[in-house]
Amino acid sequence: MIETKQFVAIGMVLALLIGVTAVFLASGDPDGLESSALVVQDAKSLTGPSPEDGDAEAIGAGTFEYEAPMPDYSMGESGGKVGEIVAVVLGTVLALLIVFGVGRAVAASKH
């Protein structure tokens, strides 16, 4: 029988392998996340043109600004795929740490 630590280690290796492989298989075109954010912010209508397709000022885009730590998963001008891989690895490890932290907090509250 496989022990819990081995199970977690194998799961992490598989998650990282899938994540890093996905970087090279993913489409270069952005998904609907950015478009959905613009709809939520009322910067565009659900069926209207995006700021990239038309005049951004006429649509009302540009009212929401933020500084992303890794914009478009890049690490500067020359980041490329390296930035995407770093984002996948950091995200996977961060998710694991959060799950373990919540798990320990729940276990501690039961005692």
Side-chain angles (χ1 to χ4, degrees), residues 23 70-86:
V23 166
M70 291 179 70
D72 292 328
Y73 306 108
S74 66
M75 295 177 67
E77 294 293 321
S78 61
K81 295 291 182 190
V82 173
E84 294 176 29
I85 292 170
V86 169

Side-chain angles (χ1 to χ4, degrees), residues 84-101:
E84 294 176 29
I85 292 170
V86 169
V88 165
V89 171
L90 286 177
T92 303
V93 170
L94 183 62
L96 178 72
L97 292 174
I98 290 170
V99 168
F100 273 137

Side-chain angles (χ1 to χ4, degrees), residues 37-80:
L38 291 172
V39 171
V40 168
Q41 299 165 22
D42 290 327
K44 77 171 212 144
S45 67
L46 187 58
T47 57
S50 69
E52 294 86 14
D53 296 335
D55 181 15
E57 294 302 319
I59 298 170
T63 57
F64 178 76
E65 293 183 24
Y66 65 93
E67 184 67 32
M70 291 179 70
D72 292 328
Y73 306 108
S74 66
M75 295 177 67
E77 294 293 321
S78 61

Side-chain angles (χ1 to χ4, degrees), residues 24-25 34 48 51 82 86 105 111:
F24 297 100
L25 300 176
E34 290 179 46
V82 173
V86 169
H111 291 299

